[in-house]
Amino acid sequence: MPISQKTELDDIAIDRIIEMAWEDRTPFDAIKFQFGLAEADVKALMKKELKFSSYKLWRQRVENCKTKHAAKRAEGIDRFKCKLQRAISNNKISKR
C-alpha cells in the first residue's frame, strides 16, 4: 500500500506539497523527508488535485528540471534546505 494511502493529509499539507512540487529548486527528497511521500505518490497527488492541463505542464517541467531529482543535481549540492532556514517545516528565514 503506498504511503499516500496510509496517511491522511489535511488541506494545508496538500497545498504545501503542491507548492513544493511546483518549485524548481525543491527536490522530491525534500517532500519525502517532510511528508513521507515518494516521487510516485507526489505525481499521483498532483494528478488528482490539479486540472489535467496543469498536471501535463507540471510533468513536462519536472522532466526537464535538473534540480528536482537528486541524481540529476550538480555535485556538491547534498542538501535541500537553505542554511538560513530555521526548520524545513516552518520555512522561515531567520532575521539578522
Side-chain angles (χ1 to χ4, degrees):
M1 177 181 280
I3 294 172
S4 61
Q5 292 179 1
K6 292 180 186 175
T7 308
E8 283 295 320
L9 298 169
D10 61 357
D11 290 339
I12 295 170
I14 291 172
D15 287 345
R16 183 63 187 134
I17 293 167
I18 291 170
E19 182 181 349
M20 291 173 77
W22 270 105
E23 293 170 349
D24 289 337
R25 294 182 147 234
T26 304
F28 287 111
D29 295 337
I31 298 171
K32 184 172 178 105
F33 177 78
Q34 190 169 356
F35 296 99
L37 296 177
E39 182 178 345
D41 296 327
V42 174
K43 289 177 183 176
L45 178 79
M46 295 293 277
K47 191 171 189 175
K48 178 183 160 207
E49 296 292 326
L50 298 177
K51 294 187 299 183
F52 185 70
S53 59
S54 298
Y55 173 75
K56 281 178 46 178
L57 288 172
W58 175 75
R59 287 288 291 141
Q60 288 174 348
R61 184 173 175 158
V62 166
E63 288 176 11
N64 294 325
C65 186
K66 294 180 181 177
T67 56
K68 290 301 277 186
H69 300 89
K72 293 182 180 179
R73 293 185 101 173
E75 288 186 33
I77 300 176
D78 56 353
R79 59 176 167 61
F80 49 79
K81 181 173 103 171
C82 176
K83 294 177 186 175
L84 300 176
Q85 282 181 321
R86 290 186 185 156
I88 193 165
S89 59
N90 294 332
N91 292 325
K92 294 180 180 176
I93 295 177
S94 61
K95 297 178 183 174
R96 297 178 208 184

